[in-house]
Amino acid sequence: MSKNNKNSGVANLHLESSLESLPREEMSVTRRVLVIGGGIAGVETALQCAERGFQVTLIERSEKLGGAFGKLAALVEAGENPKDYLQSKFGQLEKNPLIEVLTQTQLVDLTGLVGNFTATLVTGTGKRKVKVGAVTIAVGLQTVFCPVKYGLAMEPNVLGLTKLTGELIEGKSFTGKDFTFVLGKTTENFVLPFISALKNAIYLKEKFGSGVSIFYTNMKVGGDGLEALYGQARNLGINFFKISENLELKLQNNQVTVSFQDPFIGNKLPGKYQVVSDYIVIPEEIVPVENIAELVEVLKVKLDAADFLGENNVHVGPQFTSREGIYVVDDIYATSCLAHIKQDAELVAGEIAGKLPAEAFSVEGDQPQVDAAKCVVCLTCFRCCPHKAIEILHDAEKYNNLYGSAARMNPLACRRCGVCVAECPGKAIQMPGYQDAQVVAVLEGLVG
Amino acid sequence: MAGQVARLETFQPEIVAFCCENSGYLAAQMAIEAKLSYPQTVTLVKLPCSGRVDALFLLKALENGADGVMVLACQKENCKFLKGNVRAEQRIEATRKTLQRIGIQPERVAFCHLAANMGHKFVEEVRGLYGKLTELGPNPGKVRK
Ligand code: SF4
Ligand code: SF4
C-alpha cells in the first residue's frame, strides 16, 4: 500500500470532507413549541421558550397544573416554598400572551418533521390541530410502593419516601420516633431517592430529634450542593451504614429491627449488629408515567434500554431524543431538583431557538441527497433512518421518474449518519464529503 | 514445510479498517499516541458512523488488494446515531454471506464494538485479524494484486 506511513504503523487515510460548494436550502418553520406536561418542568420550559420569542402551547392531562412539585417538593427544595414558587410561575404564565395553557388535554397524533409538525390534541371540547415547530416532553415520573421487594409487609410503620414527605408536609408529628432508611436495593440508578432521603432525615432530626439510621449500598449524591447535604446529615449525627447483601429486616410489636454485618467494622469486631427503630422508610420504585408507551408511539421516538424517556447514551445528552425537534426536560434519571429542572428547561429552549432561529432562514444542504432518477420510492431509507428524518415528496414536474416522487432527507431533521446512504438498494443517495466515488477512489489507491 | 514457513514470514496481510469517527477512529488515534505496537499494514478510513459502511466499500477494499477488512463501531446501545452500529453489523453479516458464496473466507471481514478510549482494544482487534489472515493466507479475491 503506497500510502502507508511505516514509521507510525498506520496509513492515516481519512477522507477530508471535500469542500464541494453545497447549495443552501430555504426553510420556513412554525415558531411554536408544544410542551407536554404541566408540572414544574413543563411550566419552566414554557416560560423559557416564550422568553425567546416562541409561542407555546402547554398541555396537561389532569385538571390543573403543578404536578408533584406542589405536593412533595417542600422538603426536597428546602429554602423555597414550592406553593409560593408555583403561584408566582402561574402568574407569569397567565400574563404571557405567547403562552396558551390547555388542561385535560392529550396529544394523540403528531405528523411532519421538526419545524413543521402538526399535532392533534384532544381537549375536553373535542379535537384540535396545532402547527408546532418543536415538542418538549416534560411528563416526569411515577412512583410505586413495593415493600415486598424488601421482604416487608404493608404495615403502618413501613413508609415510602414520598409518603413520608407528604406526611411531613401535612404536619404530622413524629416526636420521639426513630427512623431507619434503607436505600439502594432497587432504585440505585436514580439520584432522587438519595436526595429525598437525606432531606427527610435532616428534617426529622432537626424538627423531632429523631434517631435516624441510613443503610445504603452506594451513596449517590452527584449534583450541585448534594454532597454538602450528605456532610450536613453526618454532622447532625445521622448514622450511615454501608451494607452489602445480607440485611435482615424484621417487623415486631410496632418496631423494626435491622440485623446486618458491617463491611468496615466487621474486620475488627466481627458479628451481627442490630438497629431498632419505630419506622422503616424505603424508596418507592421509580417508573415512567403510565401513558408513556402511547406518547412514545405518537412521537415516534425511541425509548432507552430500560424504557425510560431520554437518551442514555454517551454521545447524546438526556435532553435529546432519537428525533430532532423533540426534547426531554427533566428525564427520569435526573435529580428532579428545581435547579436541575431550570437548567434543563433553559438548555432545551436554547436548543430550540438555535434550531428554529426565524420563521424563514436558510441552511447548508450538507445532508445526503437523492438522485430522483434512481429513486424507486421503495421506502428502505424511510424505514431505516434512526431519526425518522426522511420524507417522501411528490412533484411530478420536479422528479423525473415513474412515480413523480422521491425520498428527501430533511436538512433540519437529519443528523448525517449515512445509514440511509448505505442502505439504499438503488444507490440513489449520496452523502456530501463521503460520496461512494470518493471512498472507492481511496480504496482503489490501496495497491502500491 | 520449509516453503510454508518462508511464506508465512514474507506474507504481511493488508487490512483496511473502516472507523466510525466517534469511536474506532479515536481509539486508533489513541493507540498511535500511546505508541502501542500493532501491524503496520492497516489503513484507516474514517466515516461519520459505522452505519455509513456500505457493502460496496468492503468488497471494493478486498477487490483492490486488502486481505481483510474490519469495521470499528461504537459500543452496543451507544451509537451516536442510535442504530448505525446495528445496521452496520447486519450489513457485514450479509457481506460475509456474499463472500462465502463466491469462495472467499467470510472471516476476512471483522466487526467490533469499542469506545473512543479503548486504544488497547483497537490494537487487540487488529492483531486478532492480522493473525487470522496470516493463517488464511493472501486473499484469493484480489482483482488487482
Ligand atoms: S432507499 Fe433509495 S430508492 Fe428507496 S426510497 Fe430511499 S432513496 Fe428511493
Ligand atoms: S443520514 Fe442518517 S439521519 Fe440523515 S436521513 Fe440518512 S439515515 Fe436519517
Side-chain angles (χ1 to χ4, degrees):
Chain A
M1 292 186 194
S2 55
K3 301 219 174 94
N4 273 13
N5 171 356
K6 298 287 179 193
N7 294 331
S8 70
V10 68
N12 191 347
L13 198 69
H14 77 257
L15 305 165
E16 288 303 334
S17 290
S18 62
L19 300 165
E20 314 148 44
S21 65
L22 297 162
R24 291 191 75 81
E25 293 198 29
E26 298 303 320
M27 308 303 302
S28 76
V29 299
T30 309
R31 293 185 94 228
R32 176 182 284 277
V33 181
L34 174 69
V35 178
I36 307 171
I40 188 67
V43 171
E44 292 283 358
T45 311
L47 290 168
Q48 285 287 347
C49 290
E51 204 171 285
R52 286 163 179 77
F54 285 85
Q55 293 192 298
V56 178
T57 300
L58 173 64
I59 62 170
E60 162 62 36
R61 261 197 312 166
S62 67
E63 289 135 43
K64 58 182 202 323
L65 301 181
F69 185 73
K71 285 180 248 148
L72 291 178
L75 298 170
V76 176
E77 303 297 338
E80 296 261 20
N81 180 333
K83 293 220 167 100
D84 295 349
Y85 185 80
L86 267 181
Q87 277 317 320
S88 85
K89 288 284 154 181
F90 291 163
Q92 290 175 27
L93 281 185
E94 243 161 65
K95 268 192 271 148
N96 200 319
L98 293 173
I99 303 175
E100 149 189 65
V101 177
L102 302 170
T103 51
Q104 289 181 289
T105 300
Q106 272 181 282
L107 174 73
V108 293
D109 193 29
L110 187 82
T111 55
L113 297 173
V114 52
N116 294 292
F117 290 117
T118 303
T120 309
L121 308 176
V122 172
T123 65
T125 51
K127 271 198 186 176
R128 205 180 121 183
K129 280 192 197 289
V130 205
K131 285 204 166 302
V132 297
V135 179
T136 300
I137 310 165
V139 292
L141 48 83
Q142 214 173 229
T143 55
V144 179
F145 186 47
C146 190
V148 182
K149 288 209 174 156
Y150 289 78
L152 293 166
M154 288 269 190
E155 293 287 343
N157 61 345
V158 179
L159 297 176
L161 268 177
T162 50
K163 176 118 196 277
L164 172 65
T165 310
E167 289 186 354
L168 289 173
I169 291 172
E170 277 161 27
K172 184 167 170 182
S173 166
F174 290 96
T175 309
K177 299 290 182 198
D178 290 341
F179 282 80
T180 296
F181 290 73
V182 178
L183 296 176
K185 246 187 149 162
T186 56
T187 48
E188 206 177 271
N189 288 338
F190 303 93
V191 186
L192 185 57
F194 292 95
I195 305 168
S196 166
L198 287 172
K199 296 229 168 163
N200 282 332
I202 291 170
Y203 188 86
L204 287 166
K205 189 88 196 172
E206 286 184 335
K207 178 117 195 219
F208 306 111
S210 301
V212 183
S213 304
I214 299 183
F215 291 85
Y216 65 98
T217 49
N218 286 303
M219 184 53 64
K220 287 207 175 170
V221 286
D224 284 349
L226 300 180
E227 208 155 324
L229 196 64
Y230 173 67
Q232 188 193 351
R234 285 215 94 118
N235 290 341
L236 281 171
I238 289 166
N239 300 315
F240 286 86
F241 299 102
K242 185 162 172 73
I243 45 164
S244 44
E245 294 288 286
N246 303 321
L247 191 71
E248 284 169 37
L249 306 173
K250 251 196 218 103
L251 297 175
Q252 229 165 20
N253 313 328
N254 293 329
Q255 294 226 299
V256 187
T257 307
V258 183
S259 317
F260 65 104
Q261 282 172 332
D262 192 297
F264 298 132
I265 320 172
N267 290 335
K268 296 216 167 101
L269 298 165
K272 277 205 170 168
Y273 293 82
Q274 283 194 335
V275 169
V276 181
S277 57
D278 302 293
Y279 286 93
I280 180 158
V281 185
I282 56 175
E284 284 96 349
E285 309 288 304
I286 291 179
V287 294
V289 291
E290 76 234 12
N291 66 335
I292 200 80
E294 292 122 69
L295 188 59
V296 159
E297 209 180 302
V298 166
L299 296 172
K300 300 177 198 72
V301 293
K302 179 186 148 275
L303 288 174
D304 85 353
D307 278 4
F308 294 129
L309 211 54
E311 269 304 322
N312 189 7
N313 178 324
V314 289
H315 302 290
V316 191
Q319 297 84 7
F320 296 84
T321 66
S322 57
R323 297 184 71 193
E324 286 295 320
I326 302 182
Y327 305 89
V328 179
V329 168
D330 199 41
D331 69 297
I332 202 158
Y333 295 110
T335 58
S336 297
C337 288
L338 184 57
H340 174 88
I341 290 174
K342 282 180 170 171
Q343 248 175 34
D344 257 18
E346 226 181 301
L347 189 146
V348 166
E351 231 359 86
I352 297 174
K355 194 90 197 167
L356 311 173
E359 272 168 20
F361 56 99
S362 74
V363 290
E364 196 172 35
D366 60 348
Q367 79 283 7
Q369 306 284 338
V370 174
D371 176 353
K374 289 187 188 166
C375 175
V376 293
V377 202
C378 67
L379 304 185
T380 303
C381 57
F382 179 84
R383 291 199 189 98
C384 71
C385 171
H387 309 110
K388 297 270 165 280
I390 298 178
E391 46 201 343
I392 305 293
L393 300 182
H394 312 284
D395 185 339
E397 304 260 298
K398 192 167 155 202
Y399 302 126
N400 52 341
N401 60 21
L402 215 57
Y403 319 92
S405 313
R408 177 198 188 227
M409 290 74 218
N410 182 293
L412 291 181
C414 167
R415 287 189 185 160
R416 288 128 178 100
C417 61
V419 165
C420 56
V421 186
E423 293 286 350
C424 173
K427 289 252 159 282
I429 316 175
Q430 289 299 333
M431 188 173 192
Y434 297 94
Q435 315 265 15
D436 285 344
Q438 292 172 318
V439 181
V440 170
V442 168
L443 296 173
E444 281 172 350
L446 290 178
V447 195
Chain B
M1 231 9 225
Q4 199 184 355
V5 171
R7 203 199 72 190
L8 286 182
E9 272 166 3
T10 51
F11 172 54
Q12 291 193 319
E14 298 280 353
I15 295 175
V16 178
F18 294 96
C19 304
C20 160
E21 69 183 10
N22 304 298
S23 56
Y25 189 74
L26 300 173
Q29 295 302 320
M30 193 183 173
I32 293 164
E33 265 162 41
K35 302 207 164 41
L36 303 180
S37 89
Y38 63 90
Q40 302 194 353
T41 51
V42 181
T43 305
L44 304 180
V45 179
K46 187 175 81 163
L47 292 170
C49 172
S50 61
R52 175 66 188 97
V53 177
D54 215 302
L56 175 80
F57 299 170
L58 304 174
L59 298 176
K60 278 283 177 195
L62 290 170
E63 185 183 301
N64 280 290
D67 295 293
V69 288
M70 59 198 301
V71 176
L72 306 174
C74 285
Q75 299 283 33
K76 281 186 187 168
E77 295 291 336
N78 244 333
C79 172
K80 180 173 176 190
F81 304 109
L82 318 171
K83 288 279 172 226
N85 54 357
V86 179
R87 287 278 164 195
E89 199 170 1
Q90 289 170 351
R91 232 173 276 143
I92 279 148
E93 221 13 81
T95 309
R96 285 188 183 129
K97 285 192 184 130
T98 309
L99 289 175
Q100 180 126 40
R101 275 201 296 275
I102 59 173
I104 296 173
Q105 301 92 331
E107 300 90 319
R108 292 189 186 274
V109 184
F111 178 80
C112 88
H113 296 283
L114 80 182
N117 60 359
M118 291 169 82
H120 62 283
K121 171 110 193 224
F122 167 78
V123 171
E124 228 170 73
E125 293 289 333
V126 170
R127 284 195 193 145
L129 181 62
Y130 190 88
K132 206 181 287 166
L133 295 172
T134 312
E135 277 170 35
L136 289 174
N139 164 21
K142 287 181 201 177
V143 173
R144 302 166 66 186
K145 304 207 182 189

